[in-house]
Amino acid sequence: MIRAGVMGWPVEHSRSPLLHGFWLKQHGIDGAYELLPVPPESLETALRGLAAQGFAGCNLTVPHKQAALAVVDHVDATAARIGAVNTVVVRRDGTLEGRNTDAFGFRENLRAVQPAWRASTGPAVVLGAGGAARAVVAALLDDGAPEIRLVNRSRDHAAALAAALGGATIVIDWSRRSAVLGDAALLVNTTSLGMTGQPPLDLALEALPTTAIVNDIVYAPLATSLLETARRRGNPVVDGLGMLLHQARPAFAAWFGVTPEVTPALRRTVEASLVAR
Ligand SMILES: NC(=O)c1ccc[n+]([C@@H]2O[C@H](COP(=O)([O-])OP(=O)(O)OC[C@H]3O[C@@H](n4cnc5c(N)ncnc54)[C@H](OP(=O)(O)O)[C@@H]3O)[C@@H](O)[C@H]2O)c1
C-alpha cells in the first residue's frame, strides 16, 4: 500500500484527505492519505521518517511550507522561486524532493473556468503578498501578464515579493486598492480577508471593468462577499475551491502514478464538506 498525507499544525481542518481519498477510490488504488499532525519542532524528524514508514510523500500546510525548504534534499525550480514547499516526494533513493504546486493549481483552475482567459490580456491586480500571492504572481508572470499591481497592507512584504519574482510587478499602497482597479483584466484576492473568522475585505469595485475576471482564492466561505458583489455587477467570477482541487493533481500523480481529474463529482464532495463545517 502506498501512503501519503498532509503535515500541518493544526491539520484537522484540511480537506486534502477527502479529495485524495476520492481519487484513490475512483482509480482503485491501494493507497492511503492521512492527516499528519506535526508541531514545528518535529518537522525535520517527521519528514526524515517518511520513507521508512512507506510514504511516497506528503503535502505541507501551515506552518511548515517555508521551513521545509531547509529540510528537503532537493528543491525544484518552482518551489525555490516561490520560496515554499507544499508537496514532498520521496525519491527512489530515499531522498526528499520539495515541490510547489500552488502556481499550477491557480493557473489550471483559471483556465478550466475561463478557457478564453489569457494573462496577456491586460493588467492584473493582486491583493496580498503572503505565500499564496507568491504562487499567483509567479504563474501570472510566467503566462505573460503585462503588468501586475501588487497591493498589500504591509508595503515591505509586497516589495520583497516583487524583488524576488521580478517582472512587471508594481507595488501599490493598500489605501489605493480600489483606485487601481481601472483597466484591470483580472483581480485576484490572495489575502485572508473575507475568510470565515477574518475581517471582511473592504474594496469598492466601481472602477473595475465589468469584463475583468474576479478570482477570490479564499474558499471558506465559497461565495465570498467579493465574489457576490462582482457577480452582481456582471464580472465573470472564479472561486477558490478550484485552485485547491487543481493544486492536488500533480502531487497525486507523483505519489500514486495516475494523473487525476477535477470532476463535478469531486467538487460536490469537497463543497459539501465546506458547507457542513
Ligand atoms: N484556494 C487555494 O488553493 C488556496 C491556497 C493557498 C491559500 N489560500 C487562501 O489564501 C489566503 C492567504 O493565504 P496565505 O498562505 O498567503 O497567507 P499568509 O502568507 O499569511 O498571507 C496573508 C495575506 O493577507 C494579508 N492580510 C491579513 N490580514 C489582513 C488585514 N487585516 N488587512 C489587510 N491585509 C491582511 C497579509 O498582509 P500583510 O503582508 O500586511 O500581513 C498577507 O498579504 C488564505 O485565506 C488561504 O486560505 C487558498
Side-chain angles (χ1 to χ4, degrees):
M1 187 182 76
I2 306 170
R3 297 172 79 187
V6 54
M7 282 185 195
W9 188 258
V11 75
E12 292 70 31
H13 64 282
S14 174
R15 268 75 179 185
S16 294
L18 187 62
L19 72 100
H20 285 283
F22 181 98
W23 285 329
L24 285 171
K25 197 168 161 202
Q26 181 186 22
H27 293 283
I29 294 169
D30 184 16
Y33 186 100
E34 305 161 27
L35 282 176
L36 305 168
V38 173
E41 62 276 14
S42 306
L43 177 65
E44 180 158 10
T45 311
L47 285 173
R48 289 289 164 210
L50 285 175
Q53 293 178 72
F55 277 81
C58 68
N59 282 128
L60 296 174
T61 186
V62 177
H64 301 317
K65 287 183 173 190
Q66 280 85 20
L69 277 173
V71 177
V72 296
D73 306 293
H74 318 274
V75 178
D76 84 353
T78 307
R81 184 153 168 247
I82 294 171
V85 171
N86 77 342
T87 302
V88 174
V89 177
V90 178
R91 288 186 174 178
R92 275 182 207 285
D93 62 2
T95 59
L96 303 174
E97 180 180 334
R99 303 182 184 178
N100 191 306
T101 63
D102 278 339
F104 173 91
F106 166 74
R107 175 191 294 119
E108 286 290 302
N109 180 48
L110 251 184
R111 286 184 183 163
V113 181
Q114 298 289 337
W117 174 80
R118 297 287 176 276
S120 56
T121 307
V125 176
V126 176
L127 305 177
R134 280 186 171 246
V136 167
V137 171
L140 291 174
L141 288 175
D142 287 352
D143 288 358
E147 182 182 306
I148 297 174
R149 299 172 189 159
L150 189 59
V151 193
N152 194 49
R153 174 180 62 176
S154 309
R155 194 183 163 91
D156 55 329
H157 293 170
L161 193 165
L165 294 182
T169 310
I170 301 168
V171 174
I172 310 267
D173 279 341
W174 183 245
S175 60
R176 298 193 57 233
R177 61 193 179 281
S178 301
V180 294
L181 299 176
D183 77 355
L186 175 71
L187 167 64
V188 189
N189 174 43
T190 77
T191 73
S192 45
L193 295 174
M195 195 177 156
T196 307
Q198 297 292 318
L201 171 62
D202 178 14
L203 182 72
L205 294 185
E206 279 71 18
L208 186 73
T210 51
T211 50
I213 295 172
V214 178
N215 183 357
D216 198 338
I217 74 160
V218 167
Y219 56 83
L222 201 50
T224 62
S225 72
L226 170 64
L227 292 183
E228 289 295 296
T229 308
R231 200 193 313 266
R232 273 200 300 274
R233 66 196 293 279
N235 290 88
V237 298
V238 179
D239 68 39
L241 179 55
M243 175 176 168
L244 181 76
L245 302 180
H246 280 280
Q247 63 77 30
R249 292 171 54 217
F252 189 92
W255 303 323
F256 300 113
V258 176
T259 300
E261 293 302 318
V262 170
T263 56
L266 171 67
R267 214 189 127 89
R268 276 195 303 275
T269 301
V270 182
E271 220 177 294
S273 87
L274 292 173
V275 174
R277 295 198 193 190

